[in-house]
Amino acid sequence: MSVELTRLPSGLTVVTDTMAHVETAALGVWAGVGGRDERSDEHGISHLLEHMAFKGTARRSAREIVETIEAVGGDLNAGTSTETTAYYARVMKADVPLALDVLADILTDPSFVPDELEREKNVIVQEIGAAQDTPDDVVFEHLNELCYPDQPMGRSLLGTAKTLQRFDRDMLKSYLSTHYRGPDMVVAAAGAVDHARVVADVAERFHRFGKEPAPKPQAAMFGRGGSRVVHRDLEQAHLTLALEGVPQSDVSLFSLQVFANLLGGGMSSRLFQEVREKRGLCYSIYTFHAPYTDTGFFGLYTGTDPTDAPEMMEVVVDVINEAVETLTDAEIARAKAQMKAGLLMALESCSSRAEQLARHVLAYGRPQTVDELVARIDAVSIDSTRNAARALLSRSRPAVVALGSGRGLDTAVSFAEGLMASKARARLH
């Protein structure tokens, strides 16, 4: 592998992967701060700060920022998540220094012009409105609230129109200086890059970030489960179910990921085959597991006709419980092959590789090698998967949320909540 890592005196980590026969490069800055780092009076500020990074600096106007990158055929973007915020670019190899200069400029010297700030607040209000018009977004927003009640983990990343209005230039500057610290930041690059050159450019341009780590966020506490029905006049009923998963460092992580994959990770999964192919109850159904620093989130989503919601939940619960005890070698092998393919395919994309490197450094302190990751996947067995699945169903009460219309939704969520809880208890005895 051609991965190289350097830690600068500020604590900021530079990690690169030079990819042969590639003429472009993907690079970015990943900061270990996101929605869960916000106090209640800061709800939505991480996402607003990400937007404002592109709205002008002391050297460049908002238009000049994007034109500088697009004039050389590149693109610039950013994203905010629960635990990280990323600012990244894709350019030709000769323009890597230019991209680093722009990224450093927007993070070290943003202007936060009041007029631009007010306009961007309004843009995000429109984004909030668009999310509220999207049932998939709404149902998961309610599910997060149920899983992490009265915690930053359970709040929407976008904030609200009310919380956005109180943010001003000083609050953005304070949040930036408090949470964007050298030890909690990674500059990652993959593709046509030279590690020594990237390190030199980063050392010159990113020296302003403080050497002390940012404050740690509030510890996540998965809630007591339960159910919620959100009534809306929709054609479909949108059903979600969540259980407490495991954090990134848990030894059972890969076994649980395999279980999520074989249960609802593709067209060959048990849920897809039973619910869609055999019964025709839905168009889409899937499961996933999202690991965080100190918790994990196992989720299921499907949409169905409101009158079919109770049957849907009954089938879903039965398939989940049956899968735990009847796993097969073929299913495990298929899920592991899918995970390995996803891992190796990511190595062929500069953007995916840069993101992978950054996330590994933030989560584990160093990039994990392909051999390490493949070995962890290969080590997953029927026994380890079954143990991980049993622990999943016993670790917490399920949280169930339904969005839509019709009396069947109340029956569906109460049925799922009660049946899963009772079967989980039975497995313990």
Side-chain angles (χ1 to χ4, degrees), residues 1 3 17 19 190 346-347 349-358:
M1 294 298 292
V3 176
D17 187 359
M19 302 167 69
L347 298 179
S349 163
C350 296
S351 298
S352 296
R353 183 56 172 154
E355 179 176 4
Q356 183 187 68
L357 291 170

Side-chain angles (χ1 to χ4, degrees), residues 341-382:
L343 169 66
L344 296 174
M345 287 176 186
L347 298 179
E348 299 177 2
S349 163
C350 296
S351 298
S352 296
R353 183 56 172 154
E355 179 176 4
Q356 183 187 68
L357 291 170
R359 293 192 180 280
H360 281 183
V361 172
L362 288 173
Y364 308 112
R366 64 173 181 85
Q368 297 195 327
T369 68
V370 175
D371 288 344
E372 283 180 284
L373 294 169
V374 169
R376 291 184 67 184
I377 296 171
D378 284 338
V380 174
S381 64
I382 284 185

Side-chain angles (χ1 to χ4, degrees), residues 30 58 180-181 195 212 255 284 319 326 330 359 363 420:
W30 278 260
Y180 283 64
R181 314 287 293 180
H195 182 75
E212 295 300 318
S255 295
S284 174
V319 170
T326 61
R359 293 192 180 280
M420 285 205 68

Side-chain angles (χ1 to χ4, degrees), residues 44 47-52 54-55 62 114-132 157-161 164-165:
H47 179 250
L48 175 60
L49 181 59
E50 171 228 311
H51 274 236
M52 288 303 300
F54 298 102
K55 295 304 172 183
D115 287 348
E116 289 280 8
L117 177 56
E118 292 308 311
R119 276 193 292 270
E120 206 57 30
K121 286 180 184 180
N122 190 59
V123 169
I124 295 176
V125 169
Q126 307 310 312
E127 187 178 356
I128 293 170
Q132 289 302 309
L157 291 171
L158 302 181
T160 67
L164 286 170
Q165 286 309 310

Side-chain angles (χ1 to χ4, degrees), residues 31-37 80-85 153 157 217 248 291-295 359 362:
V33 56
R36 70 172 301 179
D37 293 274
T80 306
S81 67
T82 302
E83 294 190 322
T84 61
T85 306
M153 289 280 292
L157 291 171
Q248 294 162 331
Y292 298 106
T293 302
D294 57 353
T295 187
R359 293 192 180 280
L362 288 173

Side-chain angles (χ1 to χ4, degrees), residues 44 141 225 267 294 320 428:
E141 189 172 307
M267 293 176 66
D294 57 353
I320 293 174
L428 292 174

